[in-house]
């Protein structure tokens, strides 16, 4: 995968020298004061020799523009800018190639950087960064504010007047070059110095890395108030990556490298660059812009910034054909023909190598593995558990023995009275003068039209507070809207379930009967009944207008609390998890009662199949799609794994080990709603939440995490998350008394919904209109609406009224 194109032995150690390479050339200092320029396309070609420095060269960098190609080099005496094509022409003509001196006697320069127009150069020397003109000998400004020596400086690609510097004082600063003032200063990020910084233009983020292998990604908005987006640790990502691979040989190699890890504090982030091809199209560059190349002392690490996961680690020791085993400095640049080029100096020997990495090889290694889809590709098998049927008992009528059958004496069921017993009629005719029209038909038609209105796909996220409701002083563990968005179920910590109208007006219907907190609630697809599961190891199915549950599943049917329960396969099954078992029940709801045997339950429940996780670990969260036929069921275990059940075959199809650093407490699939339409591939996305590990979004087709969201705080409480019906937004609860709304395409939060009274435990989107409902630890509900969305008008006269109910 890694090819060595050039190896050069130098006269001195270059482990701390800033090397330079671009898509066409690489620059290597030779004999201290000279520079050799090699063509990357043809390394066998005679190199270009540049002379002009009187001191040892300490830093070099190429310009950002593709032409003309400029090189800036620095020593203790001069800072010189070279035009490579012009120098080549002079050399070929037999003349001496010369550069332009832009700085003199600025000290030992450790880092150089061009701006994106190649008109200015930043030079780091001691605690000062000098801004120089690349066309003349002129110091534009000298910026001094850091408490320790500078290590790097980079210009912002989308704002030419912004510069970011890192220092050994373990902070970075954002400078406004117009005012020559610091507009943002970070806190002390690490116990070790910061070494490098990189800008992400598409997301307007910046990344900085330290000596101990830590990386921080910050947003850089127009007001320059940087917010932390995510934090990464190379060592932790490496261990997680090796654990997923599960190779014993690599574990032995890790033990061998422990000696090196003892010498170095950790894996230093020497250099960073985005994985992209210089000749690739714009769509290709946008596709790969989340892959980050990190050059460290022991090798190259490729990280997916969206998911904060290590894609691959290319250790220098794994390639015996390379001339170096430990790296001292890196220079990384996009190359030709879908490749990346690296100029690396050896840490312990005076050697420099030019390496090439083919991105297509990296993509093939990444694409291996078989995924799934929520949409079934074939009908259920004959022996599939999904084909199970519930036999209904036919009513038994007693047969009469012999005799003549009883026949009615008249042919009508009712016989008109003769009228002899009634009072005589005194008023013969009375006209109706004030006839009122019944508006129910108009209202019902109007209401039907409003219900069929499409969900506004281009609406803004719901962020405007609309209703604040105080229920009880108990946690709101779970919330769920009905499929038409007209009703809300609230499962509370006081073992009750509340049924509200979506407007949250009026008194709710109260359903009691559980002995412990309600862990989950679920609406049926036909919205005729709903279920509630509790920590008391029982499940109840309720119907409209009935104070008693139609089905009670308890009485030691389950050995452990029911963590999650729902309707499944278009309401055909009940799906629930208890302990390490996944239960699939057939059921029939019958709310009729015999007057004599009134308390005898006529509803029927039958176990269709019981599945066990592999290995046997308690299920902490469960998700399946009920809105359409799907064979896939996702279960999260206490061993931090995600298991994919194929209910058609009745087996565990795949296991994702160590999906989070803690056990997953919430898993949500992108189900959309009856009011919105998404692309078919969007339904293969699902969310998982874990304490201290944020929210991850996964793709079922590749069984990989594709993005991570961790701006919210979740340290101890099981805060839930939700996906909007349009599939554009993600909401998450948080322990800082806020709810966070993310754009599904970006790891930075869009909105922070503040002023909650306590930890936000539950969040859910209205499937019919852009609304977000939140529930808190102290029993309060808050409804947020969109600034651009139009709320659906519900006809309250057509709604049924439910009194307070208890069982």
């Amino acid at each position: 995968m890694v090819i060595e194109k050039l190896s050069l032995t130098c006269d001195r150690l270059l482990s701390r020298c800033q090397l330079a390479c671009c898509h066409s050339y690489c620059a290597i200092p030779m004999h201290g004061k000279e520079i050799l320029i090699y063509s990357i396309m043809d390394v066998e070609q005679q190199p270009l020799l540049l002379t002009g420095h009187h001191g040892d060269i300490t830093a070099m960098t190429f310009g950002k523009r593709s032409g003309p190609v400029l090189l800036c080099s620095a020593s203790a005496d001069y800072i010189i800018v070279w035009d490579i094509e012009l120098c080549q022409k002079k050399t070929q003509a037999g003349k001496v190639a010369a550069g332009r001196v832009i700085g003199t006697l600025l000290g030992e320069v450790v880092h150089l950087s061009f701006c994106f127009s190649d008109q200015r150069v930043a030079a780091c020397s001691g605690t000062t960064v000098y801004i120089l003109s690349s066309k003349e000998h002129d110091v534009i400004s000298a910026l001094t504010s850091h408490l320790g020596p500078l290590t790097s400086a980079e210009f912002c690609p989308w704002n030419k007047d912004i510069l970011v510097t890192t220092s050994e004082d373990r902070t970075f600063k954002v400078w406004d070059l117009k005012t020559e003032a610091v507009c943002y200063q970070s806190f002390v990020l690490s116990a070790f110095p910061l070494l490098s910084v990189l800008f992400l233009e598409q997301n307007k983020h910046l990344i900085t890395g330290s000596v101990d292998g830590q990386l921080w990604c910050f947003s850089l908005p127009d007001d320059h108030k940087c917010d932390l987006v995510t934090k990464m640790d190379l060592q932790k990502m490496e261990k997680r990556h090796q654990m997923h691979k599960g190779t014993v040989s690599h574990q032995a190699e890790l033990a061998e490298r422990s000696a090196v890890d003892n010498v170095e504090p950790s894996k230093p982030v020497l250099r960073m660059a985005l994985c992209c091809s210089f000749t690739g199209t714009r769509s290709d560059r946008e596709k790969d812009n989340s892959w980050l190349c990190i050059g460290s002392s022991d090798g190259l690490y490729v990280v997916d910034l969206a998911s904060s996961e290590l894609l691959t680690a290319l250790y220098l020791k794994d390639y015996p054909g390379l001339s170096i085993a430990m790296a001292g400095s890196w220079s990384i640049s996009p190359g030709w023909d879908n490749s990346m080029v690296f100029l690396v100096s050896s840490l312990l020997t005076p050697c420099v190598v030019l390496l090439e990495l083919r991105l297509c090889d990296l993509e093939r290694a990444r694409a291996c593995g078989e995924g799934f889809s929520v949409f079934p590709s074939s009908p259920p098998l004959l022996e599939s558990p999904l084909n199970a049927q519930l036999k209904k008992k036919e009513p038994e009528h007693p047969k009469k023995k012999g005799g003549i059958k009883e026949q009615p004496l008249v042919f009508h069921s009712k016989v008109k009275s003769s009228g002899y017993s009634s009072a005589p009629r005194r008023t013969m005719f009375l006209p109706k003068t004030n006839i009122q029209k019944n508006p129910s038909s108009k209202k019902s038609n109007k209401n039907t039209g409003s219900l069929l209105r499409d969900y506004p796909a281009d609406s803004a996220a719901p962020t405007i507070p609309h209703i604040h409701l105080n229920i009880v002083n108990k946690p709101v563990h779970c919330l769920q809207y009905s499929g038409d968005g007209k009703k809300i179920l609230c499962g509370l910590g006081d073992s009750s379930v509340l049924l509200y109208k979506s407007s949250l007006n009026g008194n709710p219907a109260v359903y009691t009967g559980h002995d412990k907190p309600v862990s989950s609630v679920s609406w049926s697809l036909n919205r005729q009944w709903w279920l509630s599961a509790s920590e008391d190891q029982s499940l109840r199915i309720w119907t409209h207008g009935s104070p008693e549950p139609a089905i009670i599943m308890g009485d030691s049917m389950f050995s452990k609390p029911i963590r999650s329960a729902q309707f499944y396969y278009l309401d055909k099954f009940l799906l629930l998890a208890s302990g390490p078992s996944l239960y699939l029940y057939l059921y029939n709801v019958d709310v009729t009662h015999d007057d004599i045997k009134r308390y005898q339950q006529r509803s029927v429940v039958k176990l269709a199949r019981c599945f066990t996780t592999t290995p046997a670990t308690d299920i902490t969260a469960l998700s399946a799609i009920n809105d359409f036929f799907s064979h896939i069921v996702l279960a999260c275990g206490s061993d931090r794994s995600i298991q994919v059940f194929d209910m058609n075959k009745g087996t565990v199809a795949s296991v994702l080990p160590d999906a989070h650093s803690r056990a997953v407490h919430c898993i949500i699939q992108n189900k959309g709603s009856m009011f919105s339409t998404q692309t078919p591939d969007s339904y293969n996305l699902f969310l998982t939440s874990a304490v201290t590990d944020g929210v991850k979004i996964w793709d079922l087709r590749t069984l990989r995490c594709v993005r991570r969201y961790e701006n919210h705080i979740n340290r101890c409480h099981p805060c839930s998350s939700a996906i909007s019906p349009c599939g554009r937004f993600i909401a998450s609860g948080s322990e800082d008394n806020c709810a966070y709304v993310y754009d599904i395409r970006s790891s930075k939060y869009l909105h922070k919904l503040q002023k909650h009274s306590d930890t936000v435990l539950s969040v859910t989107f209205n499937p019919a209109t852009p609304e977000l409902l939140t529930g808190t630890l102290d029993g309060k509900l808050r409804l947020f609406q969109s600034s651009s969305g139009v709320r659906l008008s519900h006809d309250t006269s057509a709604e049924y009224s439910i009194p307070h109910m208890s069982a």
Side-chain angles (χ1 to χ4, degrees):
M1 189 177 293
V2 176
I3 303 172
E4 181 177 297
K5 300 188 66 175
L6 175 67
S7 176
L8 189 65
T9 301
C10 304
D11 58 333
R12 66 187 178 100
L13 199 64
L14 299 176
S15 58
R16 300 307 176 191
C17 178
Q18 181 192 6
L19 303 181
C21 73
C22 64
H23 61 281
S24 300
Y25 304 99
C26 65
I28 303 173
M30 185 60 63
H31 305 298
K33 306 169 186 179
E34 300 174 352
I35 303 173
L36 292 180
I37 305 298
Y38 283 89
S39 172
I40 291 180
M41 299 298 294
D42 186 9
V43 294
E44 300 296 334
Q45 185 180 353
Q46 183 69 23
L48 173 66
L49 179 63
L50 302 178
T51 59
H53 286 281
H54 299 286
D56 289 343
I57 296 172
T58 56
M60 294 183 299
T61 186
F62 279 102
K64 301 293 195 303
R65 300 179 63 183
S66 57
V69 179
L70 300 181
L71 173 70
C72 184
S73 59
S75 61
D77 52 356
Y78 297 134
I79 297 179
I80 304 175
V81 172
W82 314 80
D83 188 331
I84 302 301
E85 281 82 2
L86 184 59
C87 290
Q88 284 180 335
K89 291 179 180 179
K90 287 185 177 181
T91 302
Q92 292 172 359
K95 300 179 181 180
V96 178
R100 184 185 303 111
V101 176
I102 62 173
T104 306
L105 301 176
L106 297 181
E108 183 181 356
V109 177
V110 297
H111 185 87
L112 291 171
S113 176
F114 274 97
C115 69
F116 280 78
S117 61
D118 287 352
Q119 294 180 355
R120 291 177 293 179
V121 176
C124 299
S125 176
T127 59
T128 305
V129 55
Y130 296 95
I131 308 301
L132 310 174
S133 172
S134 63
K135 296 182 179 180
E136 58 186 2
H137 192 296
D138 182 24
V139 177
I140 300 175
S141 59
L143 310 176
T144 303
S145 179
H146 281 284
L147 301 179
L150 295 174
T151 55
S152 68
E154 295 291 341
F155 289 91
C156 179
W158 61 87
N159 190 338
K160 64 180 182 179
D161 295 319
I162 294 297
L163 179 78
V164 174
T165 58
T166 61
S167 169
E168 291 184 9
D169 63 7
R170 302 161 293 167
T171 66
F172 72 86
K173 296 181 187 293
V174 180
W175 298 84
D176 187 346
L177 297 181
K178 286 184 177 180
T179 61
E180 299 184 5
V182 176
C183 51
Y184 178 81
Q185 176 178 341
S186 73
F187 51 88
V188 176
L189 297 178
S190 172
F192 298 90
L194 303 182
L195 292 181
S196 55
V197 65
L198 175 70
F199 285 97
L200 307 177
E201 184 175 4
Q202 185 178 10
N203 300 325
K204 292 189 175 181
H205 291 172
L206 67 90
I207 301 176
T208 182
S210 65
V211 173
D212 61 338
Q214 306 284 331
L215 294 102
W216 295 265
C217 181
F218 287 88
S219 63
L220 185 59
D222 295 334
D223 58 359
H224 309 138
K225 299 297 177 60
C226 298
D227 292 320
L228 181 64
V229 177
T230 185
K231 179 185 176 182
M232 294 168 281
D233 188 330
L234 272 182
Q235 278 192 334
K236 291 182 179 179
M237 288 190 292
E238 180 190 35
K239 291 180 181 178
R240 191 160 56 243
H241 178 69
Q242 299 300 340
M243 197 174 299
H244 287 176
K245 290 175 62 176
T247 55
V248 180
S249 59
H250 246 70
Q251 293 177 0
E253 293 174 8
L254 285 176
E256 292 179 2
R257 283 196 296 270
S258 62
V260 178
D261 295 335
N262 291 333
V263 175
E264 297 265 348
S266 188
K267 302 177 182 298
V269 183
L270 301 176
R271 194 71 172 173
M272 296 181 292
L274 288 177
C275 276
C276 59
S277 176
F278 181 78
T279 56
T281 62
R282 182 173 180 85
S283 60
D284 292 336
R285 290 194 294 268
E286 290 179 354
K287 179 183 67 173
D288 296 331
N289 68 348
S290 66
W291 288 10
L292 179 67
C293 285
I294 301 173
S296 188
S297 58
D298 60 347
L300 180 72
Y301 297 85
V302 182
V303 175
D304 187 353
L305 290 174
S307 60
S308 299
E309 296 292 338
L310 181 64
L311 299 181
T312 185
L314 306 176
Y315 303 106
L316 298 176
K317 286 186 176 181
D318 291 346
Y319 297 88
L322 298 184
S323 302
I324 63 173
M326 297 292 293
S329 65
W330 289 74
S331 179
I332 307 174
S333 173
W336 299 90
D337 195 19
N338 198 25
S339 65
M340 296 288 292
V341 290
F342 313 93
L343 189 62
V344 189
S345 66
S346 177
L347 179 64
L348 305 175
T349 59
C351 180
V352 175
V353 296
L354 179 65
L355 307 177
E356 184 181 33
L357 171 65
R358 295 284 180 178
L359 295 179
C360 55
D361 297 337
L362 197 61
E363 291 171 357
R364 280 196 295 267
R366 177 67 174 168
C368 61
E370 180 184 359
F372 301 91
S373 173
V374 293
F375 298 103
S377 58
S378 60
L381 303 174
L382 293 177
E383 65 277 8
S384 172
L386 300 177
N387 286 329
Q389 296 293 333
L390 185 65
K391 295 182 180 179
K392 298 182 180 180
K393 294 183 179 180
E394 297 294 335
E396 297 181 359
H397 299 286
K399 296 181 180 180
K400 297 185 178 181
K401 299 179 181 179
I404 301 174
K405 295 183 179 179
E406 296 181 358
Q407 298 288 341
L409 297 178
V410 294
F411 295 101
H412 303 285
S413 59
K414 294 183 179 180
V415 180
K416 189 175 181 181
S417 172
S418 60
Y420 288 111
S421 60
S422 61
R425 180 183 297 178
R426 298 183 182 277
T427 303
M428 299 302 296
F429 175 73
L430 185 64
K432 296 182 179 180
T433 56
N434 56 346
I435 301 176
Q436 294 183 356
K437 295 182 180 180
N438 186 12
S440 61
S441 60
K442 281 188 176 182
K443 286 188 177 182
S444 60
N445 292 336
K446 184 178 179 181
N447 188 40
T448 304
S450 67
L451 287 177
L452 296 178
R453 184 183 303 170
D454 290 338
Y455 189 96
D458 56 348
S459 66
T463 57
I464 301 176
H466 181 61
I467 295 177
H468 185 198
L469 192 62
N470 188 3
I471 308 178
V472 289
N473 193 19
K474 293 293 181 181
V476 181
H477 285 303
C478 45
L479 295 169
Q480 192 182 60
Y481 277 95
S482 58
D484 55 4
K486 297 175 68 175
K487 294 293 179 181
I488 305 169
L489 284 174
C490 306
L492 304 180
D494 63 353
S495 70
S496 64
V497 179
L498 302 184
L499 178 61
Y500 278 96
K501 295 179 182 179
S502 61
S503 61
L504 296 179
N505 295 326
N507 295 324
V510 183
Y511 295 84
T512 60
H514 290 291
D515 297 328
K516 291 185 178 180
V518 177
S519 58
S520 64
V521 291
S522 176
W523 282 94
S524 65
L525 186 62
N526 57 19
R527 303 181 298 280
Q528 296 301 313
W529 46 77
W530 60 92
L531 63 81
S532 61
S534 171
E535 297 287 337
D536 63 359
Q537 304 175 17
S538 70
L539 182 144
R540 295 166 185 253
I541 297 181
W542 310 81
T543 58
H544 290 301
S546 175
E548 301 172 357
I551 296 177
I552 299 178
M553 299 175 64
D555 298 330
S556 302
M557 292 180 63
F558 311 106
S559 59
K560 292 187 177 182
I562 301 174
R563 296 300 179 190
S564 183
Q566 66 168 84
F567 294 94
Y568 174 58
Y569 214 65
L570 299 184
D571 289 347
K572 181 178 180 180
F573 297 100
L574 294 177
L575 185 67
L576 59 99
S578 175
S581 301
L582 185 65
Y583 296 94
L584 194 65
Y585 279 93
L586 291 165
Y587 68 100
N588 179 47
V589 177
D590 188 354
V591 295
T592 60
H593 291 280
D594 191 342
D595 291 337
I596 299 177
K597 300 178 180 179
R598 188 176 182 277
Y599 292 99
Q600 183 177 351
Q601 182 176 291
R602 291 194 172 186
S603 300
V604 180
V605 177
K606 180 185 177 182
L607 181 63
R609 185 70 69 88
C610 178
F611 308 91
T612 304
T613 56
T614 306
T617 178
D618 287 355
I619 297 175
T620 58
L622 177 71
S623 179
I625 290 183
N626 187 41
D627 298 58
F628 51 85
F629 288 118
S630 177
H631 300 163
I632 299 297
V633 173
L634 303 175
C636 303
S638 58
D639 61 348
R640 309 188 304 276
S641 67
I642 300 175
Q643 302 196 19
V644 181
F645 284 85
D646 186 349
M647 305 304 283
N648 185 24
K649 300 179 181 179
T651 58
V652 178
S654 183
V655 178
L656 298 176
D658 297 298
H660 283 267
S661 60
R662 301 288 182 90
V664 176
H665 62 257
C666 175
I667 181 168
I668 299 293
Q669 289 179 269
N670 185 19
K671 303 176 183 179
S673 75
M674 66 173 67
F675 300 91
S676 65
T677 302
Q678 302 181 33
T679 59
D681 290 339
S682 300
Y683 295 94
N684 290 308
L685 301 177
F686 64 94
L687 292 178
T688 56
S689 302
V691 172
T692 71
D693 205 27
V695 175
K696 290 183 179 182
I697 187 167
W698 305 76
D699 193 335
L700 197 59
R701 296 165 296 177
T702 59
L703 294 178
R704 295 184 186 274
C705 173
V706 294
R707 190 167 291 279
R708 194 169 185 166
Y709 312 88
E710 46 187 353
N711 285 149
H712 58 283
I713 299 175
N714 190 7
R715 297 191 180 103
C716 59
H717 294 291
C719 301
S720 69
S721 54
I723 305 178
S724 64
C726 59
R728 296 165 51 225
F729 305 111
I730 290 174
S732 176
S734 179
E735 294 176 17
D736 57 352
N737 300 353
C738 300
Y740 287 76
V741 178
Y742 295 90
D743 187 333
I744 198 170
R745 301 163 298 179
S746 174
S747 299
K748 178 71 172 64
Y749 71 89
L750 281 177
H751 303 282
K752 185 178 180 180
L753 310 182
Q754 302 178 355
K755 297 183 180 179
H756 288 83
S757 56
D758 207 336
T759 296
V760 179
L761 284 182
S762 305
V763 292
T764 185
F765 285 96
N766 191 321
T769 186
E771 291 181 347
L772 174 67
L773 183 65
T774 63
T776 62
L777 186 64
D778 59 350
K780 293 180 175 61
L781 297 178
R782 296 196 73 185
L783 185 66
F784 296 87
Q785 293 185 343
S786 172
S787 59
S788 59
V790 181
R791 174 171 161 74
L792 286 182
S793 58
H794 297 296
D795 183 15
T796 55
S797 64
E799 306 252 359
Y800 45 80
S801 59
I802 301 179
H804 289 268
M805 298 182 182
S806 61

